Structures are given as C-alpha cells and as structure tokens.
Amino acid sequence: MKNLVIVESPSKAKTIQKFLDDQYVVTSCMGHIRDLPGNDQAIDTKGNFEPVYEVSEDKKKLVSELKKQAKSADMVWLASDEDREGEAIAWHLAEALDLPAEKTRRIVFHEITKKAILNAIDHPRQIDQHLVDAQQARRVLDRLVGYGLSPVLWRKVQKNLSAGRVQSVAVRLVVERERDIQNFTSTSQFKVTATFDVNGKSLVAELPRRFDTEEEARDFLERCKGASFSITALEVKPAKKSPSPPFTTSTLQQEASRKLGYSLARTMKLAQDLYEGGHITYMRTDSVNLSEFAIDAARAEILSSYGDGYSNPRNYTTKVASAQEAHEAIRPTDLSKRTVPGGDPEKRLYELIYKRSLASQMSDAKLERTIATISVSTLPDTLTATGEVLVFDGFLKVYLESTDDEQDEDSSKMLPPLSVGELLQLVQMQAQERYARPPSRYTEASLVKKLEELGIGRPSTYAPTISTIQARKYVVKEDRDGWTRQVRLFTLVNDQISRVVETENTGAEKSKLFPTDIGMVVTDFLTKHFDSILDYNFTASVEKQFDEIAQGQVKWNDMIRDFYGPFEERLKLTSATAERQSGERELGVDPVSGRRVSVRLGRFGPLVQIGDQDDEDKRQKGLPGTLSIATITLEQAMELFKFPRPIGEFEGSTMEVKVGRFGPYIEHAGSFYSIPKTDDIHTIEAARGIELIQLKRQSIIDRTIKTFPEDPSVKVLKGRWGAFVVVGKQNVRIPKGTEPTSLTLEDCLALAAQQAPKASPSAAKKAAAKKPAAKKPAAKKAAKKTAAKKPAAKKAAKKTSS
C-alpha cells in the first residue's frame, strides 16, 4: 500500500475514496481513539498537569488494525476535521500508531469535494501542536472541574450529581431566567385602536400612548364621541432590508429550530451527514466568510435564475471576537444544486443552507414605509397608522430569516391610498386591556444565542452542552399549558360605548427549557460556594485563554496551574464547612394535624413533608413535574396527600388514581395508564378507569407488529420514527434494511444486548439461553461487546462535562 488516509467516520471515508485513485486507501478511526481514564489518576495535579491517555476498550482492536495498515504504507495522511478536536484526533493517531514524522502528513479541508481533497494533498503540513494543546487544555480543565465539583455535590446535595465548567453556567442561565419570570409582576394598560373605512378598505390606527386605568380609557373614548377624524400628515420614507450572513454553527442551529423544528442534536447530526456526503462545507464554524469561489458561484446562479438586478456580491465580517481559525461559513459545496439525495430531513436542512447562502449574495429588498397622522377634532391627541409596501423583493425572493420575537403585532400591514386633509369615517374605536409580558423562557436555539453572546462555549460544544443539561435532568424541554385571564374591552360605535369582559389564554409554552428542582438547588449551591466557576465572565475568559494557547501565546500547563491552585483550596474549604443544601421551604401548617408542612429536595427527588425530619410518623409525597419547590403552595401540597385514591376493581385487581412525576395515572395490576387532562382526578370513577385501561390496551394492539409468546416482554412495535423493538423497559433500534416482521426472538435479544446502555447480564443470559447451539458464538460476541463498556468509563461520563 502506498498511501493510507485516516478520517473519523466510515461515511466520510467512503466519500473521499471516490475522489482518489487506487494508490490511496481511505479508512476510519471512528472518532477519538484515546481518552483520559475514568479515575482520579488521569491528570498529574502534583506535577505539570500532564494527562495520561489510554486507548478506549472498544478501540483496541481497531488501533491494532490501523497499526498494521500504517506499517505497510509508504505515507500516512491524517485527514481528520480542521478544528481543534480534529487536530487532537490526528495527534492521538500519530501517538497511538507510533507514526514516524517522515512518513506522516496532516491534511485539512473545509469541504469534501475532489478539488478540495486534491488541493489538501498538494499542500500537506505537520500536526499543529498549539491547536492540540488548546484542545488538551479544555479537556484537562473540564476533567478537573467535573471531578472536583461532582463529589462535593454528592456529599452536600444529592448522590450521583455532576457539574461542569460550561454545563453549569448554561443551567444557571435557565435558572435565572425562570426566577425572573417568577418574580415578574404583570401589570395591565389600555391600548386604544381605531378602525376607519377608506373607500371600502380598512385603515387601523393606534394612539401612541396607553392608559393605566379603566377610567382614563373610558374617558378618552367619551371625548371622541361626535369627533371628526382627518389625515393631517403623510410621511413616506424609503427603507430597505438586507440579507443575513451565511450560516455559522449557532445561527444554523437557531434557524433550523425556528423554521424546521429541529433540536440542536438533530440539526448537527443531519449537518454532519451532509458534510460527510460532500454536500456542504464543514459544519462547526463561527465564521461568516465565503471564499471567492463560493461568491462567484453564487453570482452565476443568481444571474441565471433571477437576473442582474438581484445580484449583489458581498463579503461578511465575523463579529464574534473570539472566533477560531479562519474557517468558511456553512454553505453548499455546489450552489447549482438546489437539493440533494436522501431523506426529507436532510433535504430540508440542505435547502435551508442553500437558500441562506444564495440570499446572502443577493440585493437588498426595497420598501416604502408610510406613516399617516390622524387628528381628532375634540382632542389634542393624534392617532398613527403605519404600513409599508414592498417595492423590490431582492433577496426576499429566496429567503427571510425568522426571529425568536414572540410579539404578535403586525407592523408591516399595507395602507389604502390616502391624502392629506382627507376626512375619515370611524367604524369603531376600542380600548383593550393588555398585559405586560414577562421575559421569554429559553428555547434550545435562543440559549445557544445567549451562550454565544456571552462568549461561552464554541461551535463544537453548543449542542452537546444543551443535550447534557437535559440528560442530567437539570433542565427539561417541554410544552406547558397556559391559563385564562379576564381582560376588559371598551368599544365606541355610533357614539355608544359598550364594556365587555373577555377571557384570553396566556402563558402557554411550546418546546421551552425549564429548570428542574435539582437544577435550581445545584445552581444555588454552586453559585454560593463556587461563584468564580459560574461567573459568566470567567467562562468567557477561559475561552479566550484557549484561543491564546491555540495561537502559541500561552503555555497550556501554566494556564491550568493558575486555575487549579485557588480551585483546589475552594474545594477543600467547601467540603469541610458547607452545609447540606436541599432548597427547603416552609409552606405552612397542616390544618388537620397542626404539624409543619415543608417542601425540599429528598434522596429521590423533590417532596412535600408533613412533620419534622425526626418524626417517626412524618408523611411524604413526591412532587409531580407540574409543581416545583419554588412555587408550590400549601393548598397544592395538601392536595397531594389525597392520593392514591382507590376507585374500584377490575379483573380482580384494584384500580388506584395516583399522581406521579409526569402527571396523574391509574395503577392496575402493575401497569400504568395516563389520565387525560380533561378528567378530574378527584372525581374519576371505576367505569372511566376501565375505559382508559381498555383504550390503552387497544392502542398497544394497534401498534404491535410482532410478539413472542415464549417471552411477552419482547415486542416489535410501530413508532413515530418507524418500527422498533421493546425488551422489557429498553427501546432498541432496528438496523436499516431489516424487515421488522422477519425478526426472531433471538434477533431481538441480540440487538438489545448490543445496544444496552450498560452491561446487561439479564439480556445477555436470555440471548445465550434462547439461541440455538449453532448460533452461540454470535450470542457470546454480543454479550461480550456489551460487557466491554466498563463501569469506570460510565463513572467518568457522569463526572466530566464541558
């Protein structure tokens, strides 16, 4: 073999292999091959903070094979991604494979096209040790913070908690936003609008000021009785809208969330697939720059499709001061391709990237904005009507950026033809009560935007950070119902004023981030005892220091040493002196027993307690997910003690209404059946309980593809994203190309053993016991693969995060 090219993934290897001749063999290392071991000895904190790396257990065989291939090659090309993570992967490969410098080359490219690959091979370089050091500094610092803080949390808050340099700051943002909302006092004012008839068309105008009281609003309408209204001024201003820059990682995540409803993790997975398939440029970047090649390609496509008036080539400048190496923005590798092969999710994301890239090189949209001032003959006040007309669509022909703004007011309506001095016929005037809105809760996308604004994290860390804080149950992403409130409305029609009280829905949330009780308690503890770690400026300054290491301006060991000394002292002090923290809050007194009622974080989650901790007969109830330590009232707490409530028997077993972490349900014969929100859990009776049980059973039958009488815990079911296997409580993916109806019990158990999140002896035993003798080696192999995931590695994953 003359040339061995090593990349991170098989799909990337497959794409690159198509561009190279038979003198090159492209293979994959499947991501990182070495990492810090899962123990406290991974970093020499007494010396120079040198890390000790080890080859992952599941990569040992692969590393052995790569060594053999590298030994037989004349030249080894390390072609991992061009960012710091990719540079570190290349360095680890060189170290683990014992690659001599004279036969090792590092190549980088920001798109997987034939031109880019061949150009990279023509211009190889050595591994950039500064970039490696910057990644290593991040990894070491995050390990020290994670392994330092987590044990303190175990002792002072609750077992099995974790903390991280970036994740804990992200949680703090969500917690502080929630408290801003809880502390927000919503006040109301009256907004006055008038509707006029202008030659059969409606003109809506607004009073620029608002009224604090009902009396003021009504008085204004009274004084408008019998008034005449006329146009006193018309102001026409030209305006324009400019296109947004092409995508960076964070803006792609935000826009895919807003326009397509994709989670951050899904967006990055689809973008990775598009990149490795050669369809887009590298997807982890904070640059908005486009190459001259891309600008020329966009211009040619715009001229061809829309004409000369729509083309306006332009360069964008990255505003993020801490932007990393000079990458290019995310764009299609071929701007003549408006779509790509693949599934609908990949196509939709590609088309979003395509339109944004093309629009960034198009002309501004031209508008004509009109402001009409309307006088009231009986008052000195004037009304204002605003509208705009699109004169030239420009880039809007292709793309318009969405926003996170939740205001529903439309300020871009068109106005009918108007002239100064024109008398207007009043149809109606209204004064409607409007409430001030609290700050908006974060979505995944808006939290990424905030992290970027604060200089916290990097393109490669946004999605993992937000996935981590949800996986650790510090934050939940969910929909929540709102509530109704009354609003007062006065209407003036034909010199008569009417008053009505309407109801409006408010407070409903969709896919928003909420802090959990444990997230709030942990944040309070860390903010109190490790305020420097959770300080936004500290986290941002660390990112700047990583940049300085990458540029060779700072030694990574020195940066870690400066941090670790004070941090270690703070760890010792907190461990010795800090009190346990549970977020306890006293709610009042039980009206029956006269004993104290409190809410706090318990061993298994938040709970309400009647009596003191030392009382032998104290009563406790867990909080459902709809309630929190910070907001629960005494009345809500006492309601929890009314459950479980027996409602009758069915098939020889009792039906009980219970309230759990995820809402109310019926427990019957060891199974659980959710109670819809439309049912009152205080009055639901046996007949309705039986109906809910039968409905759930029928839904399971309707989505069942296959069952196995010899093991009822194993099923093949229909799911939202396709068929899957259930083994007990474990959901198991079915490999692509496998017909679900063809799966045997042995197949299902083997898949469960392979995909088990941790060693699963029961699944392995079942697979081994039920497989025919001829298939035993395969079953053993599946079990062995599961067992290879060591507990130590799991422990490290719990403790460490970035």
Side-chain angles (χ1 to χ4, degrees), residues 730-751:
Q730 182 188 355
N731 291 343
V732 181
R733 297 185 308 278
I734 297 175
K736 285 184 180 179
T738 301
E739 172 55 47
T741 56
S742 70
L743 290 169
T744 64
L745 176 60
E746 291 76 24
D747 294 332
C748 294
L749 293 172
L751 287 171

Side-chain angles (χ1 to χ4, degrees), residues 319-440:
K319 293 181 180 179
V320 181
S322 56
Q324 283 188 20
E325 298 74 40
H327 298 161
E328 196 174 350
I330 303 169
R331 61 162 176 84
T333 54
D334 185 349
L335 278 159
S336 67
K337 292 182 179 178
R338 299 196 174 197
T339 189
V340 292
D344 184 61
E346 289 92 343
K347 288 182 177 181
R348 294 179 72 199
L349 188 67
Y350 176 84
E351 288 162 9
L352 188 71
I353 295 168
Y354 176 89
K355 290 176 181 178
R356 175 82 164 227
S357 301
L358 201 66
S360 74
Q361 299 301 306
M362 294 178 72
S363 301
D364 294 339
K366 295 178 182 177
L367 309 167
E368 195 173 76
R369 192 160 289 149
T370 303
I371 301 172
T373 303
I374 301 167
S375 65
V376 185
S377 63
T378 57
L379 290 166
D381 295 88
T382 58
L383 305 172
T384 302
T386 305
E388 62 185 27
V389 176
L390 185 63
V391 177
F392 173 65
D393 53 4
F395 76 94
L396 294 177
K397 199 172 192 73
V398 173
Y399 182 85
L400 175 63
E401 183 180 20
S402 300
T403 70
D404 290 313
D405 186 10
E406 297 181 351
Q407 301 297 320
D408 56 4
E409 315 234 356
D410 180 11
S411 61
S412 60
K413 53 189 177 292
M414 292 181 64
L415 302 182
L418 301 170
S419 59
V420 174
E422 182 177 356
L423 289 175
L424 302 175
Q425 181 182 345
L426 179 68
V427 176
Q428 69 172 19
M429 182 178 288
Q430 291 187 320
Q432 184 177 24
E433 187 175 22
R434 304 294 292 267
Y435 282 86
R437 298 187 181 190
S440 297

Side-chain angles (χ1 to χ4, degrees), residues 346-599:
E346 289 92 343
K347 288 182 177 181
R348 294 179 72 199
L349 188 67
Y350 176 84
E351 288 162 9
L352 188 71
I353 295 168
Y354 176 89
K355 290 176 181 178
R356 175 82 164 227
S357 301
L358 201 66
S360 74
Q361 299 301 306
M362 294 178 72
S363 301
D364 294 339
K366 295 178 182 177
L367 309 167
E368 195 173 76
R369 192 160 289 149
T370 303
I371 301 172
T373 303
I374 301 167
S375 65
V376 185
S377 63
T378 57
L379 290 166
D381 295 88
T382 58
L383 305 172
T384 302
T386 305
E388 62 185 27
V389 176
L390 185 63
V391 177
F392 173 65
D393 53 4
F395 76 94
L396 294 177
K397 199 172 192 73
V398 173
Y399 182 85
L400 175 63
E401 183 180 20
S402 300
T403 70
D404 290 313
D405 186 10
E406 297 181 351
Q407 301 297 320
D408 56 4
E409 315 234 356
D410 180 11
S411 61
S412 60
K413 53 189 177 292
M414 292 181 64
L415 302 182
L418 301 170
S419 59
V420 174
E422 182 177 356
L423 289 175
L424 302 175
Q425 181 182 345
L426 179 68
V427 176
Q428 69 172 19
M429 182 178 288
Q430 291 187 320
Q432 184 177 24
E433 187 175 22
R434 304 294 292 267
Y435 282 86
R437 298 187 181 190
S440 297
R441 289 183 173 89
Y442 288 111
T443 61
E444 287 188 342
S446 61
L447 183 56
V448 164
K449 184 177 181 181
K450 186 65 175 179
L451 289 170
E452 187 177 41
E453 286 174 358
L454 294 171
I456 297 168
R458 281 294 181 268
S460 60
T461 65
Y462 298 139
T465 295
I466 292 174
S467 294
T468 295
I469 63 177
Q470 293 178 67
R472 302 271 166 82
K473 308 299 183 187
Y474 289 153
V475 168
V476 293
K477 181 177 77 171
E478 59 188 28
D479 303 342
R480 290 195 183 174
D481 294 333
W483 60 92
T484 59
R485 66 184 173 196
Q486 293 186 332
V487 292
R488 292 164 288 177
L489 174 65
F490 294 91
T491 304
L492 170 65
V493 177
N494 296 327
D495 288 342
Q496 297 295 316
I497 298 176
S498 62
R499 178 188 188 275
V500 296
V501 177
E502 299 178 334
T503 58
E504 69 175 10
N505 294 318
T506 187
E509 300 282 25
K510 185 172 178 60
S511 296
K512 293 295 181 68
L513 298 178
F514 296 82
T516 62
D517 286 317
I518 187 66
M520 297 181 91
V521 172
V522 166
T523 297
D524 289 343
F525 180 84
L526 292 176
T527 304
K528 180 178 180 180
H529 298 287
F530 297 93
D531 56 325
S532 61
I533 300 295
L534 263 69
D535 182 77
Y536 300 133
N537 292 328
F538 165 76
T539 311
S541 71
V542 166
E543 298 293 347
K544 291 179 182 177
Q545 291 179 67
F546 291 151
D547 293 339
E548 292 169 350
I549 294 168
Q551 294 157 13
Q553 298 171 0
V554 174
K555 294 289 185 183
W556 77 268
N557 317 69
D558 296 340
M559 177 256 185
I560 298 295
R561 185 180 296 104
D562 291 343
F563 162 81
Y564 190 70
F567 177 63
E568 186 180 32
E569 290 302 314
R570 173 61 68 172
L571 285 174
K572 292 176 181 177
L573 180 64
T574 304
S575 297
T577 62
E579 296 180 354
R580 285 190 62 84
Q581 190 150 334
S582 65
E584 184 172 4
R585 190 166 70 89
E586 189 164 333
L587 301 178
V589 175
D590 175 16
V592 176
S593 67
R595 293 196 293 175
R596 175 175 172 266
V597 181
S598 61
V599 61

Side-chain angles (χ1 to χ4, degrees), residues 173 304 384 422 454 578 608 622 711 726 802:
L173 282 168
S304 170
T384 302
E422 182 177 356
L454 294 171
V608 174
D711 190 342
V726 172
S802 59

